[in-house]
Amino acid sequence: MLLNIVRLRYADPPTFLDTTQVIAGYSVSKSISGGFYAYPATAVGNYLFGTGTMSLGENPTFTYQPVTGQQYAENVVRPISPTVIMPLSLGGLPIDTLLRLTAQSIDGLSNVRGLGAGPFGGGSVRFYLLLHDLRQLQIQGAMTIRITSENPTPPDSKKNGGKSDSNGNGGSSTGAERSYLVLTSTSDSNLLAIQAEVRRLLHLDPGAEEAEIVYGPYPKHPGKQIAILTRSMLAMLTQLAYEVEVPEDDIKSGRTPPTIGQVGIENRPEVVIHSSREEPDTRYAAVSYNNTWFWISDRDFQSKLAFTMVQVLAALAATNHTAGAVVTIPAG
């Protein structure tokens, strides 16, 4: 994953592999020997001796195949659905990190950064202000995500006696999962002010307690929906690549463009990737590319958490039309 980010930084094509087989091979051998020496009565005593040895060998085998064709399009190029992304925040993952990685825009607030996006990499200051507010609400328990498989009840469904309308939506039918941003009740004046700011930034109705999260640049029903234009895995890795620290000589020689700066209240990349000519001592992950080492520090918890989230998202985006990996474990 880290190598693909670095490759994209230098405009090299990334490579994605799928694990097709795992064979856990191991061997164990043991031996023990002993004896007893008895001397004549004139001897001072009797003696015991013994020796033992044991060896353990492990030789796992992994089989990979490149991700190509339709599987590449679905796993790498297709945007990840907001319905898949948003529930991750329910497990305690920071919602600001999650959306900064996965959202291209939220209700028109742009997170587009990189080449051609201006000297500072583009992006809307209000986008990062929104993420900051959502994180504060998440920490204080004044915001959550609700998941349901029930279709919303359209206004004309009551006239039809609960039957489906022309779009096939009915009040009692079930369908695909839907996600809702819920602003929970609170008496804290500071949290109420932050909730009001979130409603303003998302163009929600002043009294809205929840809003459906949909995919797209803009909502079909303003005031009641939040439109998130999500990224694909390729777009996500490309965005991280623009923020990689690279040697100054590579920029001057034209091998790669300058690293983009931060916008608004952001003061650092989501995943800080360092570079040097020498192999780092303490690293969470490191790769060597064109005689340069790129690594994530083991002392940078925020970067480690964000990089782990990228790997979780890659697993969620993966679709495989063939049988899964075969795991073979010898027994006996």
Side-chain angles (χ1 to χ4, degrees), residues 85-324:
I85 294 172
M86 297 309 294
L88 293 176
S89 65
L90 295 176
L93 294 179
I95 192 170
D96 55 341
T97 300
L98 185 63
L99 290 175
R100 186 175 176 187
L101 289 171
T102 60
Q104 194 82 340
S105 69
I106 300 178
D107 260 30
L109 302 179
S110 175
N111 188 31
V112 177
R113 309 179 65 205
L115 297 178
F120 299 102
S124 169
V125 174
R126 291 187 298 167
F127 177 88
Y128 304 103
L129 178 60
L130 172 64
L131 298 194
H132 178 268
D133 290 344
L134 290 176
R135 178 56 177 161
Q136 296 306 308
L137 294 177
Q138 182 188 32
I139 292 173
Q140 299 298 327
M143 182 225 69
T144 188
I145 301 296
R146 182 170 71 88
I147 309 297
T148 180
S149 58
E150 296 181 356
N151 285 325
T153 303
D156 57 349
S157 64
K158 296 180 181 180
K159 299 179 182 178
N160 297 333
K163 298 180 180 179
S164 299
D165 60 13
S166 58
N167 294 323
N169 295 324
S172 60
S173 61
T174 60
E177 282 192 344
R178 297 172 181 267
S179 301
Y180 291 82
L181 175 71
V182 181
L183 300 176
T184 56
S185 300
T186 178
S187 58
D188 190 310
S189 58
N190 292 329
L191 295 179
L192 289 173
I194 296 176
Q195 289 182 342
E197 180 71 7
V198 168
R199 292 187 183 96
R200 186 184 68 82
L201 292 170
L202 294 176
H203 307 100
L204 299 177
D205 295 339
E209 294 182 354
E210 68 175 28
E212 183 183 5
I213 299 172
V214 297
Y215 173 82
Y218 295 99
K220 291 180 62 177
H221 304 288
K224 302 182 182 300
Q225 291 181 331
I226 302 170
I228 302 180
L229 189 63
T230 51
R231 291 172 172 156
S232 63
M233 282 305 305
L234 182 61
M236 197 183 311
L237 298 183
T238 301
Q239 183 63 62
L240 293 175
Y242 290 139
E243 299 178 325
V244 173
E245 173 190 305
V246 296
E248 191 66 27
D249 291 343
D250 290 351
I251 298 175
K252 293 179 179 179
S253 64
R255 293 188 61 216
T256 186
T259 303
I260 62 174
Q262 303 306 304
V263 177
I265 60 176
E266 298 299 323
N267 55 18
R268 50 162 286 165
E270 208 59 53
V271 180
V272 178
I273 301 175
H274 305 277
S275 66
S276 67
R277 299 299 181 183
E278 299 180 356
E279 184 176 358
D281 294 330
T282 58
R283 70 274 183 95
Y284 171 70
V287 294
S288 178
Y289 178 84
N290 283 349
N291 300 320
T292 302
W293 280 94
F294 296 87
W295 80 93
I296 299 171
S297 174
D298 190 46
R299 297 186 177 96
D300 186 351
F301 179 80
Q302 182 175 335
S303 293
K304 293 194 295 182
L305 177 61
F307 193 70
T308 297
M309 291 173 64
V310 171
Q311 297 177 77
V312 171
L313 290 165
L316 291 175
T319 57
N320 196 340
H321 300 289
T322 61

Side-chain angles (χ1 to χ4, degrees), residues 15-79:
T15 301
F16 297 89
L17 300 176
D18 190 20
T19 306
T20 59
Q21 190 175 52
V22 179
I23 300 177
Y26 60 89
S27 61
V28 179
S29 62
K30 304 176 182 177
S31 66
I32 186 170
S33 62
F36 174 74
Y37 287 124
Y39 287 86
T42 57
V44 294
N46 299 328
Y47 299 87
L48 288 172
F49 73 92
T51 60
T53 60
M54 186 181 80
S55 62
L56 172 65
E58 186 174 1
N59 301 289
T61 302
F62 296 85
T63 304
Y64 300 98
Q65 69 178 10
V67 177
T68 59
Q70 182 181 357
Q71 187 177 350
Y72 186 91
E74 294 181 354
N75 294 9
V76 181
V77 180
R78 184 182 61 182

